[in-house]
Amino acid sequence: MKIQLTTQGSKKVRQGYPLIQKEDLAKGEMTTDWVELTSPQGDFLAMGYLGKQNKGLGWVLSDKKQAIDENFFVRLFQKAKMNRQVYYQDQTTTAFRLFNGEGDGLGGLIIDLYQDYAVFSWYNDTLYGKKATIIQAFQKVFPEVLGAYEKVRFESQLPESQLLYGQTASEPLIVQENGINYATYMNEGLMTGIFLDQKEVRGALVDGLASGKTVLNMFSYTGAFSVAAAMGGALQTTSVDLAKRSVPKTKEQFSVNGVDPETQNIHVMDTFEYFKYAKRKHLTFDLVVLDPPSFARNKKKTFSVAKNYGELIEDSVNLLNQNGMIIASTNAANVSPKQFKQMIEEAFLAKGVSYKKVKSYALPSDFATIATFPEGDYLKVYCYEVKK
Ligand code: SAH
């Protein structure tokens, strides 16, 4: 089937932009078939598909006229596997991203590896409808994967998480990253217990960044940064998260690494409440890690990285020791690296402290991105030395 794009939409596709948006469609019709995208004049532009997802209405698959069939997916998966040989060869890391959507040539599907298990995340119903072919291709290229789970990340009546094929994984499933154990769960809602895009930051904490320091980990989730810091020789860690489940989850992350959780602090608390609490108790830290969600709503306050990150920095500076460090992280795609840096540094200036950016991190190579889709390159992590 042929789908006509507008002049503007055609221009975007010709420039290599992979996402199709509503305004790019000349006629607005939808289909679940693979499509040939054409210009208003009817010239072939690319192969693709239409599928409504959180952002956008479809994806470009190839600028060559070709069949989108099992062989097409086999080739994509083979290439993705080849590009991740560093991770396959690294005996100390058993969890990483196998396939990163548009970055690997197929927007709408992400696949992560957790030891012997794969987790598929589907972002639209059209691709989900093609899953038999896609799984067949995947199993040809990754026969060593014992079982797979799927997460449904589009609006539907389907369960958000279920076994897709093969064997079930143990609960927890212990995976390794930079030699550290992490307890993960393949079938508990959309999240598994670890965000694989932060592996280099956790690696730096393990490798000495936290050594001899007291560490405050804000928005700690399952405490992965705290565990990496503790394993890297931190004097003590404090983890703060609003969610009650974060306590047993964080304790478990310490336990699976042989660290007694009772030697660490874990608080179920709103971050801004914790800042006040710590001030009252005169608690101070050498290293503060800030990795909030892009948006968060709680009873009193809506937090957004774009608006409120500076407050987090200012409040963190208050709790820092004289020579401290802040690891400022965000996954907000709507905040550019430049804007993020500016928000952080304005907050330092407002507090009258001197600062130096000593290291920055972006997505690791398993989170493949393409230059023509800069919003896919969402992760920004900056380490600042701060002198009070
Ligand atoms: N830094 C974590 C991931 C954070 S995910 C890691 O690397 O693993 C975001 C977390 O922020 C969630 O666990 C959520 O419960 C928590 N959160 C959201 N709003 C919060 C708030 N106001 N105060 C504290 N935690 C909050």
Side-chain angles (χ1 to χ4, degrees), residues 7 30 76-77 81 85 124 128 138 147 179 181 222 240 249 252 261 320 322 349 365 369 383:
T7 307
M30 292 297 282
L76 285 187
F77 289 142
K81 195 175 196 182
Q85 285 309 306
N124 64 70
Y128 191 78
F138 181 83
N181 292 328
T222 63
V240 179
K249 292 286 188 193
E252 181 177 43
L320 270 190
Q322 222 167 26
L349 290 173
S365 66
T369 55
C383 306

PDB file of all heavy atoms in Angstrom, residues 7 30 76-77 81 85 124 128 138 147 179 181 222 240 249 252 261 320 322 349 365 369 383:
ATOM      1  N   THR A   7       4.365  17.758   1.514  1.00  0.00           N
ATOM      2  CA  THR A   7       5.664  18.251   1.052  1.00  0.00           C
ATOM      3  C   THR A   7       6.638  18.313   2.224  1.00  0.00           C
ATOM      4  O   THR A   7       7.786  17.867   2.129  1.00  0.00           O
ATOM      5  CB  THR A   7       5.491  19.662   0.443  1.00  0.00           C
ATOM      6  OG1 THR A   7       4.467  19.577  -0.541  1.00  0.00           O
ATOM      7  CG2 THR A   7       6.771  20.155  -0.180  1.00  0.00           C
ATOM      8  N   MET A  30      -5.170   5.484   7.871  1.00  0.00           N
ATOM      9  CA  MET A  30      -4.281   4.592   8.625  1.00  0.00           C
ATOM     10  C   MET A  30      -4.417   3.180   8.062  1.00  0.00           C
ATOM     11  O   MET A  30      -5.441   2.812   7.491  1.00  0.00           O
ATOM     12  CB  MET A  30      -4.655   4.584  10.110  1.00  0.00           C
ATOM     13  CG  MET A  30      -4.399   5.888  10.850  1.00  0.00           C
ATOM     14  SD  MET A  30      -2.651   6.377  10.926  1.00  0.00           S
ATOM     15  CE  MET A  30      -2.025   5.299  12.214  1.00  0.00           C
ATOM     16  N   LEU A  76      18.297  -6.921  10.434  1.00  0.00           N
ATOM     17  CA  LEU A  76      18.369  -5.881  11.477  1.00  0.00           C
ATOM     18  C   LEU A  76      18.928  -6.447  12.786  1.00  0.00           C
ATOM     19  O   LEU A  76      19.779  -5.845  13.437  1.00  0.00           O
ATOM     20  CB  LEU A  76      16.984  -5.286  11.762  1.00  0.00           C
ATOM     21  CG  LEU A  76      16.366  -4.320  10.766  1.00  0.00           C
ATOM     22  CD1 LEU A  76      15.082  -3.731  11.351  1.00  0.00           C
ATOM     23  CD2 LEU A  76      17.321  -3.186  10.403  1.00  0.00           C
ATOM     24  N   PHE A  77      18.437  -7.636  13.156  1.00  0.00           N
ATOM     25  CA  PHE A  77      18.873  -8.233  14.425  1.00  0.00           C
ATOM     26  C   PHE A  77      20.352  -8.652  14.358  1.00  0.00           C
ATOM     27  O   PHE A  77      21.087  -8.496  15.328  1.00  0.00           O
ATOM     28  CB  PHE A  77      17.984  -9.431  14.795  1.00  0.00           C
ATOM     29  CG  PHE A  77      16.590  -9.038  15.219  1.00  0.00           C
ATOM     30  CD1 PHE A  77      15.481  -9.802  14.850  1.00  0.00           C
ATOM     31  CD2 PHE A  77      16.378  -7.904  16.002  1.00  0.00           C
ATOM     32  CE1 PHE A  77      14.194  -9.443  15.250  1.00  0.00           C
ATOM     33  CE2 PHE A  77      15.092  -7.537  16.407  1.00  0.00           C
ATOM     34  CZ  PHE A  77      14.008  -8.309  16.029  1.00  0.00           C
ATOM     35  N   LYS A  81      23.202  -7.290  16.824  1.00  0.00           N
ATOM     36  CA  LYS A  81      24.013  -8.205  17.628  1.00  0.00           C
ATOM     37  C   LYS A  81      25.503  -7.931  17.422  1.00  0.00           C
ATOM     38  O   LYS A  81      26.277  -7.874  18.387  1.00  0.00           O
ATOM     39  CB  LYS A  81      23.681  -9.656  17.261  1.00  0.00           C
ATOM     40  CG  LYS A  81      24.191 -10.662  18.272  1.00  0.00           C
ATOM     41  CD  LYS A  81      23.733 -12.075  17.945  1.00  0.00           C
ATOM     42  CE  LYS A  81      23.926 -12.972  19.156  1.00  0.00           C
ATOM     43  NZ  LYS A  81      23.534 -14.364  18.882  1.00  0.00           N
ATOM     44  N   GLN A  85      29.077  -6.488  20.348  1.00  0.00           N
ATOM     45  CA  GLN A  85      30.071  -7.511  20.702  1.00  0.00           C
ATOM     46  C   GLN A  85      30.870  -7.151  21.953  1.00  0.00           C
ATOM     47  O   GLN A  85      31.243  -8.026  22.723  1.00  0.00           O
ATOM     48  CB  GLN A  85      31.009  -7.798  19.521  1.00  0.00           C
ATOM     49  CG  GLN A  85      30.355  -8.630  18.419  1.00  0.00           C
ATOM     50  CD  GLN A  85      29.685  -9.894  18.941  1.00  0.00           C
ATOM     51  OE1 GLN A  85      30.309 -10.685  19.629  1.00  0.00           O
ATOM     52  NE2 GLN A  85      28.414 -10.071  18.639  1.00  0.00           N
ATOM     53  N   ASN A 124       3.584   0.342  19.778  1.00  0.00           N
ATOM     54  CA  ASN A 124       2.339   0.579  19.043  1.00  0.00           C
ATOM     55  C   ASN A 124       1.725  -0.747  18.596  1.00  0.00           C
ATOM     56  O   ASN A 124       2.401  -1.777  18.517  1.00  0.00           O
ATOM     57  CB  ASN A 124       2.565   1.532  17.853  1.00  0.00           C
ATOM     58  CG  ASN A 124       3.500   0.943  16.827  1.00  0.00           C
ATOM     59  OD1 ASN A 124       3.158  -0.005  16.120  1.00  0.00           O
ATOM     60  ND2 ASN A 124       4.716   1.481  16.751  1.00  0.00           N
ATOM     61  N   TYR A 128       2.940  -4.600  17.070  1.00  0.00           N
ATOM     62  CA  TYR A 128       2.519  -5.728  17.919  1.00  0.00           C
ATOM     63  C   TYR A 128       1.811  -6.785  17.069  1.00  0.00           C
ATOM     64  O   TYR A 128       2.004  -7.985  17.265  1.00  0.00           O
ATOM     65  CB  TYR A 128       1.596  -5.225  19.037  1.00  0.00           C
ATOM     66  CG  TYR A 128       1.332  -6.263  20.098  1.00  0.00           C
ATOM     67  CD1 TYR A 128       2.278  -6.534  21.076  1.00  0.00           C
ATOM     68  CD2 TYR A 128       0.138  -6.989  20.111  1.00  0.00           C
ATOM     69  CE1 TYR A 128       2.046  -7.500  22.047  1.00  0.00           C
ATOM     70  CE2 TYR A 128      -0.110  -7.952  21.071  1.00  0.00           C
ATOM     71  CZ  TYR A 128       0.852  -8.203  22.040  1.00  0.00           C
ATOM     72  OH  TYR A 128       0.631  -9.161  22.991  1.00  0.00           O
ATOM     73  N   PHE A 138      13.858 -13.022  15.451  1.00  0.00           N
ATOM     74  CA  PHE A 138      14.662 -12.848  16.669  1.00  0.00           C
ATOM     75  C   PHE A 138      15.239 -14.189  17.118  1.00  0.00           C
ATOM     76  O   PHE A 138      16.435 -14.290  17.449  1.00  0.00           O
ATOM     77  CB  PHE A 138      13.795 -12.235  17.781  1.00  0.00           C
ATOM     78  CG  PHE A 138      14.557 -12.010  19.063  1.00  0.00           C
ATOM     79  CD1 PHE A 138      15.326 -10.868  19.234  1.00  0.00           C
ATOM     80  CD2 PHE A 138      14.517 -12.949  20.099  1.00  0.00           C
ATOM     81  CE1 PHE A 138      16.052 -10.660  20.406  1.00  0.00           C
ATOM     82  CE2 PHE A 138      15.233 -12.749  21.264  1.00  0.00           C
ATOM     83  CZ  PHE A 138      16.004 -11.602  21.418  1.00  0.00           C
ATOM     84  N   GLY A 147      14.180 -17.496  27.094  1.00  0.00           N
ATOM     85  CA  GLY A 147      12.782 -17.091  27.229  1.00  0.00           C
ATOM     86  C   GLY A 147      12.663 -15.594  27.047  1.00  0.00           C
ATOM     87  O   GLY A 147      13.648 -14.869  27.175  1.00  0.00           O
ATOM     88  N   GLY A 179      30.424  -6.333  37.140  1.00  0.00           N
ATOM     89  CA  GLY A 179      30.746  -7.239  38.233  1.00  0.00           C
ATOM     90  C   GLY A 179      29.845  -7.135  39.455  1.00  0.00           C
ATOM     91  O   GLY A 179      30.011  -7.873  40.424  1.00  0.00           O
ATOM     92  N   ASN A 181      26.056  -7.397  41.290  1.00  0.00           N
ATOM     93  CA  ASN A 181      24.783  -8.097  41.090  1.00  0.00           C
ATOM     94  C   ASN A 181      23.610  -7.126  41.200  1.00  0.00           C
ATOM     95  O   ASN A 181      23.624  -6.235  42.059  1.00  0.00           O
ATOM     96  CB  ASN A 181      24.598  -9.167  42.170  1.00  0.00           C
ATOM     97  CG  ASN A 181      25.587 -10.308  42.018  1.00  0.00           C
ATOM     98  OD1 ASN A 181      25.985 -10.652  40.904  1.00  0.00           O
ATOM     99  ND2 ASN A 181      25.988 -10.883  43.134  1.00  0.00           N
ATOM    100  N   THR A 222      15.188   1.411  43.046  1.00  0.00           N
ATOM    101  CA  THR A 222      15.628   0.198  43.750  1.00  0.00           C
ATOM    102  C   THR A 222      17.031   0.366  44.338  1.00  0.00           C
ATOM    103  O   THR A 222      17.659  -0.613  44.754  1.00  0.00           O
ATOM    104  CB  THR A 222      15.631  -1.019  42.810  1.00  0.00           C
ATOM    105  OG1 THR A 222      16.591  -0.766  41.764  1.00  0.00           O
ATOM    106  CG2 THR A 222      14.273  -1.263  42.195  1.00  0.00           C
ATOM    107  N   VAL A 240      16.708   7.759  48.960  1.00  0.00           N
ATOM    108  CA  VAL A 240      15.417   8.417  49.227  1.00  0.00           C
ATOM    109  C   VAL A 240      14.500   8.243  48.028  1.00  0.00           C
ATOM    110  O   VAL A 240      14.867   8.604  46.901  1.00  0.00           O
ATOM    111  CB  VAL A 240      15.619   9.924  49.504  1.00  0.00           C
ATOM    112  CG1 VAL A 240      14.271  10.610  49.756  1.00  0.00           C
ATOM    113  CG2 VAL A 240      16.564  10.141  50.681  1.00  0.00           C
ATOM    114  N   LYS A 249      12.959  -3.365  47.911  1.00  0.00           N
ATOM    115  CA  LYS A 249      13.738  -3.505  46.672  1.00  0.00           C
ATOM    116  C   LYS A 249      15.196  -3.092  46.888  1.00  0.00           C
ATOM    117  O   LYS A 249      16.120  -3.750  46.399  1.00  0.00           O
ATOM    118  CB  LYS A 249      13.129  -2.624  45.568  1.00  0.00           C
ATOM    119  CG  LYS A 249      11.763  -3.085  45.090  1.00  0.00           C
ATOM    120  CD  LYS A 249      11.885  -4.314  44.222  1.00  0.00           C
ATOM    121  CE  LYS A 249      10.563  -4.674  43.575  1.00  0.00           C
ATOM    122  NZ  LYS A 249      10.598  -6.013  42.978  1.00  0.00           N
ATOM    123  N   GLU A 252      17.048  -5.585  49.078  1.00  0.00           N
ATOM    124  CA  GLU A 252      17.401  -6.772  48.298  1.00  0.00           C
ATOM    125  C   GLU A 252      18.649  -6.528  47.432  1.00  0.00           C
ATOM    126  O   GLU A 252      19.526  -7.387  47.340  1.00  0.00           O
ATOM    127  CB  GLU A 252      16.216  -7.175  47.413  1.00  0.00           C
ATOM    128  CG  GLU A 252      16.496  -8.412  46.576  1.00  0.00           C
ATOM    129  CD  GLU A 252      15.296  -8.844  45.760  1.00  0.00           C
ATOM    130  OE1 GLU A 252      14.615  -7.968  45.175  1.00  0.00           O
ATOM    131  OE2 GLU A 252      15.037 -10.056  45.702  1.00  0.00           O
ATOM    132  N   PRO A 261      21.964  -4.635  54.539  1.00  0.00           N
ATOM    133  CA  PRO A 261      21.160  -3.429  54.300  1.00  0.00           C
ATOM    134  C   PRO A 261      21.016  -2.557  55.545  1.00  0.00           C
ATOM    135  O   PRO A 261      20.801  -1.351  55.437  1.00  0.00           O
ATOM    136  CB  PRO A 261      19.803  -3.964  53.859  1.00  0.00           C
ATOM    137  CG  PRO A 261      19.927  -5.421  53.705  1.00  0.00           C
ATOM    138  CD  PRO A 261      21.230  -5.873  54.257  1.00  0.00           C
ATOM    139  N   LEU A 320      25.690  19.633  51.047  1.00  0.00           N
ATOM    140  CA  LEU A 320      27.023  19.150  50.656  1.00  0.00           C
ATOM    141  C   LEU A 320      28.081  19.548  51.680  1.00  0.00           C
ATOM    142  O   LEU A 320      28.012  20.624  52.270  1.00  0.00           O
ATOM    143  CB  LEU A 320      27.431  19.760  49.306  1.00  0.00           C
ATOM    144  CG  LEU A 320      27.094  19.061  47.999  1.00  0.00           C
ATOM    145  CD1 LEU A 320      27.825  19.760  46.868  1.00  0.00           C
ATOM    146  CD2 LEU A 320      27.424  17.570  48.014  1.00  0.00           C
ATOM    147  N   GLN A 322      32.112  20.586  52.446  1.00  0.00           N
ATOM    148  CA  GLN A 322      32.876  21.679  51.825  1.00  0.00           C
ATOM    149  C   GLN A 322      33.360  21.373  50.404  1.00  0.00           C
ATOM    150  O   GLN A 322      33.233  22.188  49.509  1.00  0.00           O
ATOM    151  CB  GLN A 322      34.069  21.990  52.712  1.00  0.00           C
ATOM    152  CG  GLN A 322      34.278  23.464  52.846  1.00  0.00           C
ATOM    153  CD  GLN A 322      35.249  23.768  53.974  1.00  0.00           C
ATOM    154  OE1 GLN A 322      36.108  22.931  54.313  1.00  0.00           O
ATOM    155  NE2 GLN A 322      35.143  24.932  54.548  1.00  0.00           N
ATOM    156  N   LEU A 349      25.515  29.323  40.827  1.00  0.00           N
ATOM    157  CA  LEU A 349      25.807  30.755  40.938  1.00  0.00           C
ATOM    158  C   LEU A 349      24.906  31.401  41.989  1.00  0.00           C
ATOM    159  O   LEU A 349      25.362  32.205  42.806  1.00  0.00           O
ATOM    160  CB  LEU A 349      25.626  31.442  39.576  1.00  0.00           C
ATOM    161  CG  LEU A 349      26.685  31.066  38.526  1.00  0.00           C
ATOM    162  CD1 LEU A 349      26.339  31.662  37.162  1.00  0.00           C
ATOM    163  CD2 LEU A 349      28.081  31.520  38.952  1.00  0.00           C
ATOM    164  N   SER A 365      26.656   2.711  24.359  1.00  0.00           N
ATOM    165  CA  SER A 365      26.551   2.340  22.939  1.00  0.00           C
ATOM    166  C   SER A 365      25.468   1.299  22.657  1.00  0.00           C
ATOM    167  O   SER A 365      25.003   1.189  21.520  1.00  0.00           O
ATOM    168  CB  SER A 365      27.900   1.843  22.430  1.00  0.00           C
ATOM    169  OG  SER A 365      28.236   0.632  23.071  1.00  0.00           O
ATOM    170  N   THR A 369      21.745   5.207  18.853  1.00  0.00           N
ATOM    171  CA  THR A 369      20.965   6.352  18.398  1.00  0.00           C
ATOM    172  C   THR A 369      21.398   6.704  16.977  1.00  0.00           C
ATOM    173  O   THR A 369      22.445   6.257  16.516  1.00  0.00           O
ATOM    174  CB  THR A 369      21.191   7.583  19.294  1.00  0.00           C
ATOM    175  OG1 THR A 369      22.590   7.848  19.357  1.00  0.00           O
ATOM    176  CG2 THR A 369      20.657   7.363  20.692  1.00  0.00           C
ATOM    177  N   CYS A 383      28.819  15.364  36.140  1.00  0.00           N
ATOM    178  CA  CYS A 383      29.402  15.306  37.488  1.00  0.00           C
ATOM    179  C   CYS A 383      30.100  16.630  37.773  1.00  0.00           C
ATOM    180  O   CYS A 383      30.990  17.026  37.020  1.00  0.00           O
ATOM    181  CB  CYS A 383      30.447  14.189  37.598  1.00  0.00           C
ATOM    182  SG  CYS A 383      29.818  12.592  37.099  1.00  0.00           S
TER     183      CYS A 383
END
